[in-house]
Amino acid sequence: MIQAIAFYLFAGVVLLSGAMTISSRNPVHSVLWLILAFFNAAGLMVLVGAEFIAMLLVIVYVGAVAVLFLFVVMMLDIDFAELRAGFVRYAAFGLLLAAVLVAEILIGVGAWSAGGVDLAARVAPIDPGVANIEAIGRLLYTRYLFVFEGAGLVLLVAMIGAIVLTYRERSGVLKQDINRQINRRAKDATRNVNPPVGQGVEL
């Protein structure tokens, strides 16, 4: 009974948060609603026994992605009037996309009602008695080790590419001198002084 109550509570809050995310006029409020949706989606993952996915939702999506969205939205000088002006222009495309998504959801529900396809047992057979996180760890570091490392390499290349593409020289900004920092001596880094009482420190 408590599982059903928790499921309907989490699912209802996820649906409400998702609707408020796309309907809020203020982008900051939209990001906050998105964070709430992530938290409740993590609760749903815990209910179905996917603790690892729930942890990823909280740590990665809430702790990094959503907070990054929030900082970017708050730091940018966004013209809200200009954003709202384009709503009518793309309303037809948005309604078409929404209809496609609703159709996909209905097809997915129908397929689930007809009986799920047990692909996991054929692709990655795991002992049912093994815990969720242990099963994922076994698969990632045995059968899918090279795929996992390849994904990490792709993310590393993407991060380096983003840094290279966005780096630019700007006047008036102090540039970090890595060689000077590495080659400095310990006696040059600090200075011990014994100032008299009441006279302060000479900078």
Side-chain angles (χ1 to χ4, degrees):
M1 183 63 183
I2 185 66
Q3 292 91 342
I5 295 174
F7 170 78
Y8 286 114
L9 175 63
F10 289 142
V13 175
V14 166
L15 293 175
L16 176 64
S17 302
M20 293 301 296
T21 299
I22 62 176
S23 62
S24 296
R25 293 181 177 274
N26 192 328
V28 177
H29 296 167
S30 294
V31 177
L32 294 176
W33 284 112
L34 182 64
I35 291 174
L36 181 61
F38 283 152
F39 267 116
N40 286 274
L44 289 175
M45 293 298 106
V46 172
L47 287 178
V48 298
E51 306 90 3
F52 184 74
I53 305 299
M55 182 183 65
L56 284 182
L57 275 172
V58 174
I59 294 177
V60 177
Y61 283 91
V62 176
V65 177
V67 174
L68 177 64
F69 285 170
L70 185 61
F71 284 158
V72 170
V73 168
M74 294 177 68
M75 290 172 61
L76 292 179
D77 186 15
I78 300 175
D79 188 359
F80 296 112
E82 184 179 351
L83 286 177
R84 297 190 188 106
F87 177 78
V88 178
R89 188 191 321 166
Y90 299 107
F93 178 74
L95 290 175
L96 177 63
L97 182 61
V100 171
L101 292 177
V102 170
E104 288 182 348
I105 292 173
L106 293 177
I107 292 172
V109 171
W112 176 78
S113 302
V117 180
D118 194 9
L119 293 176
R122 286 184 281 176
V123 176
I126 289 292
D127 184 7
V130 177
N132 181 260
I133 297 177
E134 183 180 352
I136 292 176
R138 286 184 184 180
L139 287 175
L140 285 181
Y141 294 106
T142 54
R143 173 174 292 200
Y144 299 108
L145 175 62
F146 295 112
V147 178
F148 183 65
E149 291 184 349
L153 183 62
V154 169
L155 291 175
L156 176 63
V157 172
M159 182 183 69
I160 295 174
I163 294 172
V164 171
L165 290 174
T166 57
Y167 178 77
R168 62 185 184 276
E169 295 284 347
R170 289 179 292 178
S171 60
V173 178
L174 295 178
K175 186 177 179 181
Q176 186 178 14
D177 191 347
I178 304 294
N179 291 326
R180 183 166 169 244
Q181 291 178 345
I182 294 175
N183 296 325
R184 72 176 183 176
R185 297 175 298 177
K187 65 179 183 179
D188 297 333
T190 59
R191 181 166 60 97
N192 296 325
V193 295
N194 187 17
V197 178
Q199 295 190 13
V201 180
E202 181 180 336
L203 298 177

